[in-house]
Amino acid sequence: MRAIYFEEFNGPLSIVEFPIPTPDKGAVTIKVEATGLCRSDWHAWVGHDTDIVLPHVPGHELAGVISEIGVGVTKFKVGDRVTVPFVNGCGQCEYCKGGNAQVCPTQTQPGFTHWGSFAEYVEIKNADFNLIALPDAISFETAAGLGCRFATSFRGLSARAKVQPGEWVAVFGCGGVGLSAVMIAKALGAKVIAVDINDAALSKAREIGADFTVNSGAGNNSSGATDSETKAKIVVTNAEGKSSEMGSDLIAAIAMVTGARNGVDVAVDALGSEMTATASIKSLRRLGRHLQLGLLPSESGQTPLPMGRAIAYELDLLGSHGMAAVDYPEMLALIASGKLKPDQLVEHVIDLEAGLIALQGLATSKSAGVTIIKP
């Protein structure tokens, strides 16, 4: 099989041929029909994830067909169309038995704890517990975008933040995670504000249902800057495409959009940075809920946050780390019914050679939507 491969963090990437993996006991080998290109894969390549043992093949969002089953697999057979969460549980611990495999202490993750799906074949362990049968109505390309970004957003908004109809939701960062969050929040009946500095991403957010988009510019004062020269004009655009400037204070602009509520009920950091996490927390009204979806890498492993605001406003700070296989049927049913349309988020479908180049450029990419690799 061919696979994207690296031997050192932030080092050269290449496409190399390897033997097709033979599934261990309880595992299956999947012929990868489609795999999502995610910012988490870039974090893996540059060395932000300490679980990775070099050399390595990245890739963690996938869909395909079972090509071989290991001893002990009873619920699936060769030829089945399947997908899988990016977090695979052990199936035996209290968290897995309680339906929360996404926080299993001995979890495995293709593309992190072992070789992943930027390859023609990948092994998935503990298959009976972790695999998800893929309905014929859902394409491999659509399914490949679900395993990390979409599922994490779905569980985060529905089960963690518990978004209710009529609530205001702000989404900071409109890449694959953020656009997924916009679509899901709208499906849950929320009024959605999408925030980014990329007009193409904001246009896509309006296309999939955002009620307002906010171009926060490159120098807004959401992180506390006071030098007027560093402040950019905040441009707010409604669903009909009418734009207006609202000063240079991002948090004040969001409060103005929400009117008498003076802030949002739920705010989502879908990018993962000190600036976006801080802005998300500060955009909340009192008793609001902050949902952290984007990873927050830093040299210290810690990210400064405005905890004084969290105390004074009695805010809830929530995380979402994927979704267990047992919870997928609800999401898949909404997709099959047409209420959720993640296929609208797929922007590019590319091969391994183009995927290798795209992986290296993820940190600075201005692409809106999801890129899918077909090995």
Side-chain angles (χ1 to χ4, degrees):
M1 71 173 189
R2 300 167 72 240
I4 294 176
Y5 170 84
F6 61 89
E7 295 183 340
E8 59 183 281
F9 293 122
N10 210 25
L13 289 163
S14 58
I15 296 176
V16 180
E17 287 194 3
F18 296 100
I20 296 172
T22 299
D24 202 352
K25 182 178 179 180
V28 302
T29 298
I30 295 173
K31 183 181 184 299
V32 179
E33 297 291 345
T35 179
L37 180 65
C38 176
R39 190 175 174 88
S40 298
D41 301 310
W42 177 83
H43 285 299
W45 169 54
V46 299
H48 291 155
D49 195 297
T50 58
D51 289 334
I52 292 172
V53 176
L54 297 174
H56 191 62
V57 172
H60 64 290
E61 294 183 298
L62 67 119
V65 176
I66 296 176
S67 63
E68 187 176 357
I69 61 173
V71 174
V73 176
T74 61
K75 296 181 180 179
F76 296 89
K77 65 183 184 302
V78 171
D80 283 351
R81 302 173 82 248
V82 292
T83 188
V84 64
F86 84 91
V87 175
N88 294 176
C90 71
Q92 302 300 318
C93 69
E94 62 176 301
Y95 302 102
C96 286
K97 290 180 177 179
N100 289 301
Q102 74 282 348
V103 293
C104 173
T106 57
Q107 64 190 245
T108 59
Q109 298 180 23
F112 296 94
T113 61
H114 60 285
W115 283 17
S117 56
F118 289 174
E120 293 175 318
Y121 292 83
V122 64
E123 181 189 19
I124 296 298
K125 302 178 185 301
N126 198 11
D128 279 344
F129 183 75
N130 291 301
L131 282 186
I132 301 146
L134 184 62
D136 290 339
I138 299 176
S139 71
F140 291 121
E141 291 81 4
T142 297
L146 301 178
C148 174
R149 289 163 284 194
F150 203 87
T152 298
S153 297
F154 184 84
R155 184 175 180 280
L157 289 164
S158 63
R160 299 289 287 149
K162 294 181 171 61
V163 171
Q164 300 299 309
E167 289 191 313
W168 282 96
V169 175
V171 178
F172 292 81
C174 292
V177 177
L179 291 174
S180 298
V182 169
M183 178 179 288
I184 293 161
K186 282 301 297 180
L188 294 173
K191 292 174 284 188
V192 180
I193 304 169
V195 185
D196 206 296
I197 60 174
N198 181 353
D199 281 330
L202 293 173
S203 177
K204 186 68 174 180
R206 290 192 299 275
E207 180 185 322
I208 63 173
D211 298 279
F212 293 90
T213 59
V214 180
N215 189 319
S216 59
N220 71 76
N221 69 345
S222 62
S223 62
T226 57
D227 184 347
S228 61
E229 293 183 356
T230 70
K231 298 179 184 179
K233 293 294 184 182
I234 306 301
V235 179
V236 177
T237 305
N238 64 18
E240 288 73 43
K242 182 178 179 180
S243 298
S244 58
E245 289 188 356
M246 287 193 174
S248 59
D249 189 321
L250 173 59
I251 304 309
I254 291 173
M256 289 175 64
V257 170
T258 63
R261 295 189 76 78
N262 196 36
V264 296
D265 301 282
V266 176
V268 182
D269 176 13
L271 175 65
S273 74
E274 180 181 346
M275 178 176 284
T276 50
T278 296
S280 175
I281 290 170
K282 287 186 174 180
S283 73
L284 290 166
R285 67 193 301 262
R286 296 169 191 271
L287 302 179
R289 291 102 75 197
H290 165 75
L291 178 62
Q292 189 66 43
L293 298 183
L295 298 177
L296 287 165
S298 67
E299 290 185 8
S300 67
Q302 305 298 320
T303 302
L305 294 174
M307 294 305 294
R309 176 66 68 92
I311 295 168
Y313 280 26
E314 291 197 358
L315 305 178
D316 292 334
L317 305 184
L318 305 166
S320 179
H321 189 243
M323 187 167 74
V326 69
D327 291 328
Y328 265 68
E330 178 187 1
M331 182 179 70
L332 293 178
L334 290 172
I335 294 170
S337 73
K339 189 171 183 180
L340 289 174
K341 300 178 180 180
D343 57 297
Q344 294 181 346
L345 304 180
V346 177
E347 185 177 43
H348 302 293
V349 179
I350 59 178
D351 59 15
L352 275 179
E353 284 76 11
L356 183 149
I357 296 169
L359 174 59
Q360 296 175 81
L362 272 180
T364 56
S365 174
K366 300 298 182 183
S367 177
V370 173
T371 295
I372 299 296
I373 298 172
K374 289 183 71 67

